[in-house]
Each structure stands twice: as C-alpha cells, then as structure tokens.
Amino acid sequence: MAKGSLETVADRIDRLNAAIGRGAAWLALVIVVLQFALVVARYVFSLGSIWLSETVIYAHAALFLLAAAWTLQLGGHVRVDIFYADAKPRTKAWIDLIGALVLLFPVMLTLLWLSWPYAARSWAVLERSQEASGLPLVFVLKTLIPVFAVLMALQGMAQAARAVLVLRKRRRG
Amino acid sequence: MAETLAILMVVAVIAALMAGYPVALTLAGVSLAFAFIGDLTGVMSFAILGALPQRIFGVMTNGTLLAIPMFIFMGVMLERSRVAEDLLENMGRLFGKLRGGLAFSVVIVGTLLAAAKGVVGATTVTMGLIVLPAMLRHGYDKRLAAGTVAATATLAQIFPPATVLILLGDQLSNAYQSAQLSQGKFAPDALNVSDLFAGALLPAFSLVALYLVYVGAVAWLWPKAAPALRRDPKGPRGAKFARKLAESLVAPLVLILAVLGSILGGIATPTEAASIGAVGAILLAARKTAIAPLLRPVADKTAQITAMIFVILIGATFFSLVFRALGGDLMVERALTNLPGGTTGAILTVMLAMFLLGFVMDAFEIIFVVVPIVGAALLKMPGVDPVWLGILMAMNLQTSYMHPPLGPTLFFLRGVAPKAIKTSDIYWGVIPFVAIQIVALIVLWFVPALATWLPHALYR
C-alpha cells in the first residue's frame, strides 16, 4: 500500500545504516587501544609495526566513512541553523527534500561514478601497501569511498522519504 | 568569465548555506553545480573532479588527522565520567571565601576542562549546567556569571590540543609547502601540528591571565557582583578537604600535562599523545564508575563527531577543487597582493573575512574553505611566520565563536542556562571578554614572538 511503502523504505535504510554506523563506532575504541599499544611498543620495547600502524589508519578511515550516513540520520552533520532552528516542520521538510534531491544525490552519485573505476583499478592489481611489511589490502581501503557514497545516497533517500511523509500529512490534516 | 563564476560560486554557497541543509553537502553540491556550468561554458573541464578519489584517499591515510578521533574520545570520556563536576565543586570551596573567588575557580577549572576536552560545545554545556546555577545561588551578578562561563568554555578552541589547531596545522602546512615550492625553495621547511600547539600555549595563557584580571577587577570595584561564599558547615574541612581537592585536581592535571608535555617535549607526535590521553581518560573514568557501560555511548558519540568533521573536509575538497579550476585561487592571490597596505592589509582582510564567516559557519568549515584559498598567498609574503599566522587565525575564530549575537558558544549556553538568565544577560556579560580577546589579538599582531618564541625555543 502507498501508505506504508515510503515509511517502510525509510525504516529499512535507517536500520541498515544504524547497524553499520554503530558497528563502525567500535572502531573508535579499536583506534585508541591499537595506537596506545603502538606507543607502548615503540617507547618501552623500541618496536614498531608498519602492519599495526596501517591497521589503525584503516580503522580510522572506516570509522568516519561508514559512520557518516548514520550521523546524517541522527542529524549530526552541522547545519547553519539561523533560520532552520526556528523553521516550521513543514519548512524543514521542504529544505531536507530539496537538499537531498539537489545537493546530496548529485554529489554522492558523482562520487560513486568517480570512485568506482578508482577502486576497480586497485582491485584489478589487488593493490597492496607500498611498504613491504604493510597491509596487502589497499584495494579494500579504496573501496570504502564508493561504499560511503552508496550509504550516503541511501540515507538521502530515507531523508527525502521522511520529508515527503511530513509534507503529505500536513496537507491532509 | 571563469573568475566571475568563482565569485558567483562563493556567493551561491553562502546563500545556500543559510537554508540550513548540512554544510558539508551544501558545499559539495553547490560546487558540483558550478563545475557543470563551468564545463558547459567551456571555462573549466569537469574532468578535474577526477582528482577527488585521490584527495579523499589522502584524507583517509593522513596520520596527523588520526589524532582527531582520539582527542574527541578523550573529551567525550571525561565528559561522561563526571570528572569535571568534582573538580568544579572542590575548587569552588578552595577559593570560595575570597571575593570573586568562585569566578576565579571557574576560570581555572574551565581552562583545565577546555584543554582536556578540546570541544567548545561539550565544555560549555558542562559548565553551563553546573557552574552557572552555583554562581547565581551564591549571589553572583548574572552577566558576570554568564560571560565568565561562555568565555572560559570557548578557550577549548585555542588551548592545545584543540581540534581546531590540528586541522589548522594540517591545512597550513599544505599551504606552507606550496608557498615555498612556488618560490623555488625545493627543500621546504615543514610546519607541524606540534609547532601550533607550542605557539598557542603562551597566547592561551595570556587570555586566561587577562580573564582573571578582569574578574578580579570586577570583584574589587563592585563587590556585590562577585560576593564571597558563605561557609558551608556540612562540607569537608582541613585535611579531609585537602585530600578530596588533590584527588579531583591531580588526575585531570596529570593527564593534560602528560599529553601536552609529551607533544611539546618532542617525545611523542600529537597522534601518539592523543592515544595516551584517551587511555588516560578511560583509566580516570574507571576509577570513578563502572567503565563497561560507558564505552558504547562514548564510542558512538566519538564516531558521530569524527564523521561530521571529516565529511565537511570531503565537502570542502569539492569546493576547493572547483574554485581552483575556475581560477579563484589566483584571483584571490592577486587581490590580496594588490591590497593597499601590503602584507598588513592582506592579513587584516583575511582576518576580517574569517571573523565575519565565524558568525554563520563553524571553525572547521572556515578552516577547510578559507585556508586552502588564502594560505599559500599569505605565506608567500615576506615576514609572515606560519605559526604566527596560524595562532592569529585560531584566536580570531575563537573570538568569533563567542561574539554576540551569533557566536555558537552563546547558543550552547542559552540552551543549558537557567531561565533566570536572559539572553541579553549572556550578550552583555560576554562583551568585556570579547574586548579582552580583541586586545589580545592586537597584542599578538604587534608581538608575534608571543606565538613564535616557544616553538622556536623547543624545536629549532
């Protein structure tokens, strides 16, 4: 039915991105613990590990790229709220709808279009770290960029869907 | 034609931002639209955007920016573990018997918190919720109380290891490299985040000293505004109190000193020190409460703030790529070098622009957008020290953060302040502190050594 479909789609996207984002959030703790282990290893035992250093970098990249769409869902991306803060729900819905259609979608689709071949080239040679003892997973790291674009575009769909729901409800009531 | 488009793009970005859609996406979306227009009219090639994935990959693998999630983790952990509350309470008792004593302790504790948390919002909320009601209860003037809290919390913008300094350091060091390369210096000097941390220290402490002088002067000239506390008969006394005070004070102090000391002493990089700070914060919190239930909310909050910052950085990358392709950076450089007053005129213009942008944009956005455009042009000018320029920018942004009517700190504070405090009380209360900031900026302008002496002494 038309009533539930938009809401169902938005809910599913929200659940997906929340699961991915909350999973990625643990990487914050991983970064702290591994980086601290690196510091201890370096200063106490004079040991270094390129492999471990690169893991921290990977975790950091994954943290912000995978948590970004979830952050959008929670309203965590800063807005200039001089007008927005006091706007009526209907006005806010219009801003979100137009923003998603005119700003978010074109940006994320362009990024997907640009980063897809970028990641694909890396996959083609199974690109590895330039350091001999580094992680052989550069192609995975580069894949995070198109994944980020897709997750953000999906969240944009949810945002637009919810805006449409607000606009519809008001007109009826 | 291209340059007209560049100017139009800036105007369009600012106009679009006002609508209130997330800044990062607005920056990227408007820039993308202008890249299309530029491509259609033949003044630039859309293919330039092909550099985006590599740029984003550069951000992903940047070892300096890695410090940011860890410092945020440290701040959020301290926030949730209520280390701050104890500190405020005990310091208040220590200085309470003096006239203006409570305000003194607020400035001192606020400075410690600002240094430890590094995020203005978090510091303002903590202080607004705990300190402001206490100051009112003890008969402090509303304006003095609100102004003191707002100004002290905003110190988080400039006190190392402020996130703002890390981002400024990263952006300025790119600008510094390209400025030197374009002058034919092929073994360019580097600018590190540590240099900015060291450079910020004396100016930040000068601000604290000036705040204290102001609070002291008010207490002396106008005793009613800042009365001494009545003795609390139930509170701990003597040795017991001394121990409580030491306990609450020593732990965060050790943490801050360990983090800052290891960076400034050149022992650890900011990234390494950040992990020490974050682990230290976990240990401090674990002493006070069960740590396991805290990890989930702290990790969540850290992830959200980190994502917010880095998505702005990605959005700003769209902007600076297109702006450059349209010849905007050359136009800005030409405009800056042709200004009357030479270097002075150029820096003053940039400072004014950043200050005004601070009314509508966050410090992060201003740094990501403005520094790539003007940084290299300014640093090419004779006699402009990168550390000095960085600290000027940081202090400038910090001032605009608490400037009525749109300073973000004032909004944060309004959100948590007791009803008895009117918005106008906050505005009036903060004005003397804004004046202090402006005095400090002028002093820093004429005495660059205030910023440059310590980094030179430490690292050169």
Side-chain angles (χ1 to χ4, degrees):
Chain A
M1 281 299 292
K3 182 237 158 198
S5 59
L6 267 185
E7 209 164 356
T8 318
V9 171
D11 284 346
R12 285 207 182 135
I13 294 173
D14 277 0
R15 272 202 300 277
L16 173 75
N17 269 327
I20 294 175
R22 285 171 66 90
W26 285 119
L27 292 173
L29 191 61
V30 171
I31 293 169
V32 166
V33 171
L34 292 187
Q35 182 65 43
F36 186 70
L38 274 168
V39 170
V40 172
R42 181 173 150 204
Y43 289 100
V44 180
F45 305 109
S46 305
L47 290 173
S49 161
I50 292 171
W51 182 84
L52 199 56
S53 310
E54 288 190 350
T55 307
V56 178
I57 295 270
Y58 280 43
H60 176 224
L63 171 70
F64 67 80
L65 289 173
L66 296 179
W70 173 54
T71 305
L72 180 64
Q73 182 187 125
L74 298 176
H77 290 293
V78 225
R79 299 168 184 260
V80 175
D81 56 2
I82 302 171
F83 302 115
Y84 190 87
D86 300 324
K88 294 193 195 93
R90 211 177 149 75
T91 315
K92 286 186 181 176
W94 273 117
I95 291 170
D96 282 352
L97 180 62
I98 297 173
L101 294 178
V102 178
L103 300 168
L104 187 149
F105 285 139
V107 166
M108 291 308 154
L109 294 180
T110 306
L111 192 56
L112 179 62
W113 172 65
L114 292 168
S115 60
W116 186 269
Y118 179 75
R121 277 196 301 278
S122 185
W123 275 88
V125 294
L126 292 180
E127 188 181 0
R128 43 185 306 137
S129 170
Q130 289 171 5
E131 308 280 345
S133 54
L135 292 178
L137 296 170
V138 173
F139 56 96
V140 176
L141 191 59
K142 287 187 173 174
T143 309
L144 286 172
I145 304 175
V147 169
F148 160 79
V150 169
L151 294 179
M152 286 293 282
L154 279 175
Q155 195 58 50
M157 282 167 65
Q159 188 181 45
R162 293 207 189 280
V164 168
L165 286 170
V166 171
L167 294 172
R168 260 196 207 160
K169 189 164 39 180
R170 276 296 173 100
R171 204 173 301 146
R172 278 189 200 139
Chain B
M1 175 64 196
E3 293 186 349
T4 317
L5 270 185
I7 296 171
L8 278 177
M9 180 167 96
V10 174
V11 175
V13 162
I14 293 175
L17 282 174
M18 291 299 150
Y21 199 67
V23 172
L25 298 163
T26 308
L27 266 174
V30 174
S31 309
L32 186 64
F34 274 83
F36 260 115
I37 300 173
D39 192 280
L40 284 178
T41 52
V43 295
M44 67 168 274
S45 162
F46 199 75
I48 284 171
L49 289 179
L52 270 171
Q54 190 56 40
R55 288 285 187 94
I56 295 174
F57 189 71
V59 172
M60 289 160 66
T61 49
N62 181 317
T64 305
L65 297 179
L66 180 56
I68 286 176
M70 291 186 278
F71 277 129
I72 291 173
F73 187 99
M74 168 175 149
V76 177
M77 184 56 95
L78 289 177
E79 162 88 25
R80 296 287 160 119
S81 62
R82 312 201 163 270
V83 172
E85 279 81 343
D86 283 7
L87 194 59
L88 282 166
E89 190 183 329
N90 289 319
M91 285 294 273
R93 285 220 186 87
L94 181 67
F95 287 107
K97 277 168 265 170
L98 289 172
R99 237 198 268 157
L102 188 54
F104 276 133
S105 50
V106 166
V107 172
I108 294 170
V109 173
T111 306
L112 281 174
L113 284 186
K117 291 192 178 172
V119 181
V120 175
T123 319
T124 315
V125 169
T126 315
M127 302 214 9
L129 282 175
I130 312 162
V131 176
L132 217 42
M135 289 177 94
L136 294 185
R137 207 166 51 238
H138 292 292
Y140 267 68
D141 177 65
K142 287 176 196 164
R143 292 178 180 178
L144 178 67
T148 310
V149 168
T152 319
T154 314
L155 284 171
Q157 284 287 78
I158 194 166
F159 227 95
T163 311
V164 166
L165 292 175
I166 301 176
L167 297 171
L168 253 179
D170 181 58
Q171 298 286 326
L172 272 176
S173 85
N174 295 340
Y176 192 40
Q177 297 277 331
S178 67
Q180 293 179 84
L181 285 174
S182 77
Q183 287 173 327
K185 193 169 171 191
F186 291 107
D189 295 329
L191 173 72
N192 295 317
V193 171
S194 310
D195 294 323
L196 279 197
F197 280 1
L201 212 53
L202 283 181
F205 274 120
S206 320
L207 283 175
V208 175
L210 288 173
Y211 289 179
L212 287 174
V213 168
Y214 168 70
V215 168
V218 171
W220 187 56
L221 293 172
W222 191 22
K224 267 192 187 156
L229 265 55
R230 284 181 300 276
R231 190 179 290 254
D232 175 8
K234 279 175 287 179
R237 297 257 192 94
K240 201 172 154 204
F241 173 60
R243 212 182 63 227
K244 275 193 81 163
L245 176 69
E247 258 177 32
S248 64
L249 189 62
V250 163
L253 205 58
V254 166
L255 185 63
I256 294 166
L257 288 180
V259 171
L260 279 189
S262 59
I263 298 172
L264 298 180
I267 304 168
T269 63
T271 306
E272 291 171 332
S275 75
I276 298 172
V279 169
I282 296 178
L283 295 180
L284 275 189
R287 272 188 28 184
K288 297 196 56 182
T289 90
I291 190 73
L294 275 183
L295 291 177
R296 171 92 255 173
V298 171
D300 281 0
K301 194 77 200 159
T302 306
Q304 290 159 23
I305 299 176
T306 308
M308 178 271 282
I309 294 176
F310 281 88
V311 173
I312 298 174
L313 186 46
I314 293 173
T317 308
F318 274 80
F319 177 84
S320 53
L321 265 178
V322 177
F323 191 74
R324 188 154 304 181
L326 291 172
D329 55 336
L330 292 177
M331 175 180 65
V332 167
E333 185 175 341
R334 210 170 50 235
L336 284 177
T337 40
N338 290 337
L339 276 175
T343 310
T344 311
I347 298 183
L348 275 179
T349 308
V350 170
M351 285 295 155
L352 190 65
M354 288 178 88
F355 187 77
L356 294 177
L357 280 175
F359 286 171
V360 291
M361 284 162 86
D362 209 54
F364 303 137
E365 296 138 26
I366 299 175
I367 292 169
F368 297 147
V369 171
V370 174
V371 176
I373 296 176
V374 303
L378 290 181
L379 289 170
K380 265 186 227 170
M381 297 180 176
V384 179
D385 184 287
V387 173
W388 177 65
L389 184 64
I391 305 304
L392 268 181
M393 286 178 164
M395 201 186 266
N396 188 3
L397 288 174
Q398 180 216 355
T399 308
S400 75
Y401 234 75
M402 59 194 231
H403 195 295
L406 298 174
T409 306
L410 309 180
F411 285 114
F412 293 136
L413 191 60
R414 176 67 277 170
V416 295
K419 288 275 180 295
I421 292 188
K422 292 197 293 276
T423 305
S424 60
D425 291 329
I426 300 180
Y427 288 177
W428 284 112
V430 85
I431 283 176
F433 289 95
V434 172
I436 290 175
Q437 291 284 135
I438 292 173
V439 169
L441 266 170
I442 295 172
V443 171
L444 182 59
W445 178 275
F446 288 107
V447 191
L450 204 57
T452 56
W453 174 77
L454 190 60
H456 281 274
L458 285 174
Y459 303 123
R460 296 288 139 80

